[in-house]
Amino acid sequence: MQLPSTLSWLVDTAAETAGADRLLAELGAHLVADGLPLAGGTLTLAVPHPLIARRTWLWRADSGDVIEALGFAPEGLAMLEARPSAGRRWLAELASGPVHEDTIGRGEDGPMLSWIGPRPFTPDETDQLSQAARFAAAPLAVLATRATLTAALEAYLGRRSAARVLVSPLRRNTGETIKAALLFADLRGFTMLSESHPPAEVIAALDAWFDRIAGAIHAFGGEVLKFIGDGILAIFPVTTSARSACEAALRAVSAARVGMAHLDADRRKHGLPPLSFGAALHLGEMLWGNIGAADRLDFTAIGPAVNLVSRLEGLCKPLEKTVLVSGALAAETDMPLVPLGTHELRGIARPCAVFTLPED
């Protein structure tokens, strides 16, 4: 059976395309090569993500450019469906004809391909576009499955860890030694808060705390490895220099401190107790990979550096400081720090030089 070049590509090769943006661009280029008058097109996929409801890619035939538009949940659905959006205006300026749309698969949440032309499509052209959409169902299902798996892993593990899991064998004793600035933080008095407030209020407090600390970590290029009760373990991997990783961690914890001050001011207005916290920063090497039982794995970081940063955070309360910094990290930055002397850490063989941030 002799198929047009576009359909042959969809059957034989499209499933190997690196991402939705490339699939849309290459499909559009094949359709143009087959003689279809296209000005541009869009591909929309539903995404299982805590913040993003849909991802839409928009392609222009004249330049081959592809841009992406995100619909944020729950408001994102309404924003995406309100036309013309900025992205659709970017395409609409090329076309005078109506948009041809095909929803692929069952239900309204299936992938959607849309095409626009410099003029209305003829019945024969409409049939060709619909036929291409039917043949695109299989490679789009592969792509959507891959995107779902990636989004789920990133939501639970973080972007870097998810990427590592996707390319690594699912077995123990696989990982690598990396150097990173580590951040460990937790709330003060969380047990008392849990016992004296309804569960819904406790969860709301936890979410607000994690929004501030994790938001600051992500804003400065770090990655949350673990939520541990009311605690958090994050890393800032050394990619260019140890100094840049350490200063990113310092800026993140400074931003979190400001964010928590604003949160506490708001909580006091509503008659709620403030959420005090402690945080520690350290620079060191760790094993980043799989540990666990033979059939139940966890992707995490372990090693002396992880132990030290958790023990250092335990000094925040007796030293009455919100942020403590190890000597190893302090040596890599010119940012102003206040020395607090050398302290013994439980379970750590050598005493640790300890610093803190200026109170202002």
Side-chain angles (χ1 to χ4, degrees):
M1 179 180 178
Q2 186 68 33
L3 293 175
S5 64
T6 298
L7 304 187
S8 297
W9 175 77
L10 286 170
V11 170
D12 297 332
T13 310
E16 301 172 6
T17 307
D21 56 340
R22 296 316 313 153
L23 188 144
L24 174 64
E26 292 183 31
L27 175 55
H30 275 85
L31 290 169
V32 170
D34 279 350
L36 283 162
L38 298 182
T42 69
L43 171 61
T44 298
L45 295 178
V47 178
H49 190 277
L51 297 177
I52 302 168
R54 297 200 193 286
R55 298 178 69 183
T56 297
W57 292 266
L58 305 101
W59 164 78
R60 286 177 62 146
D62 59 349
S63 63
D65 292 339
V66 179
I67 63 172
E68 183 179 356
L70 300 179
F72 293 95
E75 297 85 356
L77 286 172
M79 289 172 60
L80 187 63
E81 292 164 0
R83 299 179 182 177
S85 67
R88 292 187 185 276
R89 287 196 298 272
W90 182 72
L91 287 179
E93 66 187 36
L94 302 176
S96 58
V99 176
H100 173 85
E101 293 184 338
D102 287 293
T103 301
I104 301 169
R106 298 180 180 178
E108 296 180 355
D109 288 335
M112 177 176 284
L113 274 169
S114 303
W115 303 105
I116 60 174
R119 56 165 174 77
F121 295 115
T122 66
D124 182 61
E125 290 165 350
T126 298
D127 288 343
Q128 291 182 64
L129 292 174
S130 295
Q131 186 179 41
R134 288 194 293 273
F135 275 75
L140 278 175
V142 173
L143 190 147
T145 299
R146 192 187 308 151
T148 297
L149 176 60
T150 300
L153 285 175
E154 288 182 358
Y156 283 95
L157 298 178
R159 181 167 294 181
R160 292 186 184 91
S161 298
R164 181 70 186 179
V165 167
L166 285 170
V167 300
S168 299
L170 290 179
R171 63 171 183 266
R172 291 179 295 187
N173 302 320
T174 58
E176 61 178 317
T177 299
I178 65 169
K179 189 173 185 179
L182 295 92
L183 186 156
F184 187 87
D186 68 4
L187 288 177
R188 294 281 170 260
F190 180 70
T191 301
M192 183 180 299
L193 179 73
S194 301
E195 293 177 350
S196 59
H197 290 77
E201 290 186 16
V202 174
I203 292 174
L206 274 179
D207 287 345
W209 149 241
F210 286 139
D211 276 344
R212 270 67 181 180
I213 185 71
I217 289 165
H218 294 152
F220 288 94
E223 182 160 308
V224 174
L225 286 186
K226 293 288 179 186
F227 293 110
I228 311 164
D230 62 316
I232 190 170
L233 173 64
I235 60 171
F236 296 78
V238 174
T239 54
T240 55
S241 68
R243 171 161 299 201
S244 62
C246 292
E247 293 189 346
L250 285 164
R251 290 188 175 95
V253 78
S254 297
R257 190 167 65 168
V258 173
M260 289 300 291
H262 286 289
L263 175 64
D264 286 343
D266 185 65
R267 286 176 61 84
R268 279 190 286 267
K269 290 179 183 178
H270 293 85
L272 298 172
L275 298 175
S276 59
F277 73 98
L281 302 175
H282 177 53
L283 174 69
E285 292 186 344
M286 70 209 76
L287 178 64
W288 188 48
N290 292 330
I291 63 168
D295 60 349
R296 173 60 174 89
L297 301 178
D298 187 22
F299 192 87
T300 189
I302 60 173
V306 180
N307 297 336
L308 189 148
V309 75
S310 65
R311 296 292 187 259
L312 181 60
E313 192 277 332
L315 280 182
C316 288
K317 186 175 181 179
L319 293 181
E320 298 182 341
K321 299 295 181 183
T322 299
V323 179
L324 296 180
V325 179
S326 74
L329 192 144
E332 295 291 339
T333 180
D334 292 327
M335 295 176 67
L337 297 172
V338 179
L340 298 177
T342 301
H343 295 264
E344 300 281 346
L345 301 177
R346 183 170 59 89
I348 305 298
R350 294 181 179 179
C352 179
V354 179
F355 298 76
T356 190
L357 295 176
E359 287 302 320
D360 59 357

